[in-house]
């Protein structure tokens, strides 16, 4: 009898603790319906081919994406803000060594790690960004602090680190960001260096750079937010800053249109003002999110010579994952708890 009671209690606890999640194999891009809340993330776009990713690594990427998106989903489900969902989801990705952000950031030419991040609140067009920091553990938290506790939009380098310290954000020894995998990438790229400028655009750099992270979310109050965090590109130098901390290029959010986070070859995303361009096409030409994203990533960015992708959500909760590379680490979750995780083009 005792055993039966124990079994009943255990099965009750198991059901109660189980996540309200359904795994779906098709991306939910074809739903043109209003959602109460939804969340979408990326972990970088690039030459990500099935044959180059071991089953163990594929599983690791997928479980980490799932773990991250569930953090944001839980916040939204319980009535939290899209800004909180974006920040906390990105924290999980920044703390993982497998993505090019936070802990897993790529190395600069000098063998340091320099982080860029930004966040935007679609309800009031407030935004915050930080560039080139070396000791801030979670750069997205700094971006948010810049937005909420400073009169500025973007802070850089040592000034940004002083501000982070004043804000009580966690600072770490730069060695915290050392990972063997990223150091090997730098060594490989340097070994194949033909001349200083051309090397930055080498195929090898393109192949070893992906892993930037980003998130966009719609909360129950109809507020959109987006954020992006990255280590930039392997072998970058001269204090190079990419698109990730540039509002309008790497990140954009506007309750009237959409929330976007970009990943890819930053110089082209800056020239194309990719994230804002998608919002502008929606606002001024009344394109849908999917149409606008397709136009910008598959036509405009491609014609410029740029590679990469974006994730986005519109004000109705429709989601899009558009990229012109072989793959993009990505995941979505809507109000029903339907989870989609994808890596390759299919
Ligand atoms: N966009 C980032 C940069 O150019 C890199 C990336 O997304 O992989 O810094």
């Amino acid at each position: 009898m005792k055993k039966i009671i124990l079994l009943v209690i255990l099965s009750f606890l198991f059901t109660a603790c189980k996540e309200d999640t359904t795994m779906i194999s098709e991306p939910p891009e074809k739903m043109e319906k209003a959602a109460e809340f939804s969340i979408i993330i990326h972990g970088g776009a690039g030459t990500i081919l099935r044959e180059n990713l071991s089953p163990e690594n594929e599983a690791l990427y997928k479980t980490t994406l799932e773990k991250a998106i569930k953090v944001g989903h839980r916040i939204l489900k319980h009535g939290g803000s899209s800004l909180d969902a974006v920040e906390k989801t990105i924290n999980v990705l920044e703390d993982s060594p497998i993505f090019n952000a936070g802990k897993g950031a790529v190395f600069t030419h000098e063998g340091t790690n320099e982080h860029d991040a930004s966040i935007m609140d679609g309800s009031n067009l407030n935004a915050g960004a930080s560039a080139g920091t070396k000791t801030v553990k979670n750069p997205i938290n700094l971006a948010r602090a810049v937005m909420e506790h400073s009169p500025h939009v973007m802070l850089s380098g040592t000034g940004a680190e002083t501000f982070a310290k004043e804000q009580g954000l966690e600072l770490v020894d730069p060695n915290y960001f050392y990972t063997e995998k990223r150091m090997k990438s730098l060594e490989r790229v340097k070994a194949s260096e033909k001349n200083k400028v051309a090397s930055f655009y080498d195929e090898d750099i393109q192949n070893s750079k992906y892993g930037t992270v980003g998130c966009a979310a719609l909360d129950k109050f109809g507020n959109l937010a987006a954020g992006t965090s990255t280590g930039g590109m392997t072998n970058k130098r001269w204090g190079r800053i990419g698109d990730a901390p540039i509002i309008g290029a790497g990140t954009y959010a506007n309750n009237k249109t959409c929330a976007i986070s970009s990943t890819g070859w930053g110089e082209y995303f800056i020239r194309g003002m990719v994230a804002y361009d998608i919002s502008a096409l929606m606002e001024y030409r009344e394109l849908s999110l999917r149409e606008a994203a397709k136009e910008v990533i598959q036509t405009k960015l491609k014609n410029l010579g740029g590679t990469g992708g974006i994730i986005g959500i519109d004000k109705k909760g429709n989601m899009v994952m558009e990229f012109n590379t072989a793959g993009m680490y990505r995941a979505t979750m809507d109000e029903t708890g339907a989870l989609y995780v994808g890596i390759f083009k299919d």
Side-chain angles (χ1 to χ4, degrees):
M1 187 61 187
K2 266 189 187 163
K3 264 188 184 164
I4 294 173
I5 294 173
L6 193 68
L7 271 175
V8 172
I9 293 173
L10 280 177
S11 74
F12 172 77
L13 280 177
F14 177 73
T15 321
C17 294
K18 227 176 104 200
E19 281 276 351
D20 187 14
T21 309
T22 322
M23 196 67 163
I24 52 170
S25 54
E26 279 296 305
E29 291 179 37
K30 290 177 188 77
M31 309 185 307
E32 276 292 350
K33 71 168 180 68
E36 202 193 358
F37 65 92
S38 42
I39 181 163
I40 185 164
I41 60 174
H42 72 75
T47 319
I48 310 164
L49 298 169
R50 206 181 291 273
E51 54 268 31
N52 295 340
L53 201 61
S54 68
E56 297 76 39
N57 278 340
E58 184 177 338
L60 180 63
Y61 276 106
K62 285 186 166 170
T63 48
T64 313
L65 288 167
E66 182 175 341
K67 183 176 156 202
I69 201 163
K70 281 184 171 171
V71 167
H73 187 265
R74 207 169 299 129
I75 291 170
L76 298 172
K77 189 174 167 181
H78 294 293
S81 72
S82 49
L83 273 176
D84 283 344
V86 165
E87 182 184 15
K88 301 288 179 249
T89 299
I90 289 181
N91 284 163
V92 177
L93 299 167
E94 286 178 333
D95 291 345
S96 158
I98 63 175
F99 296 103
N100 173 17
K103 170 75 186 146
V106 298
F107 283 98
T108 64
H109 185 77
E110 290 75 26
T112 58
N113 306 97
E114 295 178 8
H115 306 257
D116 300 338
S118 65
I119 195 162
M120 186 158 185
D121 180 346
S123 71
N124 51 19
L125 305 189
N126 274 347
S130 62
T133 58
K134 294 180 180 167
T135 58
V136 178
K137 181 170 176 273
N138 293 104
I140 196 72
N141 300 6
L142 172 55
R144 185 161 180 188
V146 171
M147 174 173 80
E148 292 179 345
H149 305 299
S150 89
H152 308 299
V153 170
M154 189 193 286
L155 299 181
S156 69
T158 49
E161 286 173 348
T162 305
F163 175 75
K165 197 171 175 196
E166 281 172 21
Q167 289 296 311
L169 298 183
E170 190 173 351
L171 302 181
V172 288
D173 185 282
N175 284 331
Y176 165 78
F177 300 109
Y178 180 91
T179 57
E180 211 185 311
K181 179 182 145 193
R182 299 299 187 193
M183 184 45 86
K184 282 203 171 128
S185 293
L186 177 66
E187 284 163 1
R188 215 173 51 237
V189 168
K190 278 187 155 181
S192 71
E193 205 166 40
K194 292 173 198 84
N195 70 63
K196 282 177 190 166
V197 175
S199 71
F200 185 73
Y201 301 102
D202 270 0
E203 179 73 3
D204 202 9
I205 294 183
Q206 290 306 306
N207 289 345
S208 59
K209 75 171 177 49
Y210 38 74
T212 287
V213 306
C215 177
L218 169 72
D219 64 29
K220 289 183 178 178
F221 312 99
N223 290 325
L224 288 164
T228 310
S229 182
T230 188
M233 290 172 83
T234 303
N235 204 29
K236 67 181 181 181
R237 62 192 309 197
W238 305 304
R240 180 260 186 190
I241 307 291
D243 59 316
I246 298 188
I247 297 302
T251 300
Y252 197 73
N254 183 345
N255 276 7
K256 277 204 221 158
T257 54
C258 61
I260 303 285
S261 169
S262 312
T263 174
W265 197 335
E267 278 67 14
Y268 290 90
F269 280 74
I270 296 172
R271 293 175 192 141
M273 267 292 123
V274 164
Y276 175 72
D277 210 33
I278 294 171
S279 171
L281 284 174
M282 293 175 72
E283 188 171 359
Y284 304 122
R285 269 184 40 201
E286 294 180 7
L287 263 56
S288 71
L289 173 63
R290 196 165 321 113
E291 288 165 345
K294 199 168 173 207
E295 166 92 24
V296 173
I297 299 300
Q298 306 301 352
T299 306
K300 181 175 174 178
L301 187 66
K302 251 191 193 164
N303 290 345
L304 281 172
T307 50
I310 60 96
I311 46 115
I313 298 193
D314 70 13
K315 58 185 178 184
K316 290 186 190 151
N318 294 305
M319 295 184 273
V320 72
M321 300 168 275
E322 192 71 51
F323 50 99
N324 64 23
T325 47
M328 179 166 80
Y329 298 105
R330 59 199 189 276
T332 69
M333 240 178 141
D334 66 11
E335 62 191 353
T336 67
L339 170 72
Y340 167 80
V341 184
I343 298 180
F344 312 107
K345 200 152 228 159
D346 42 313

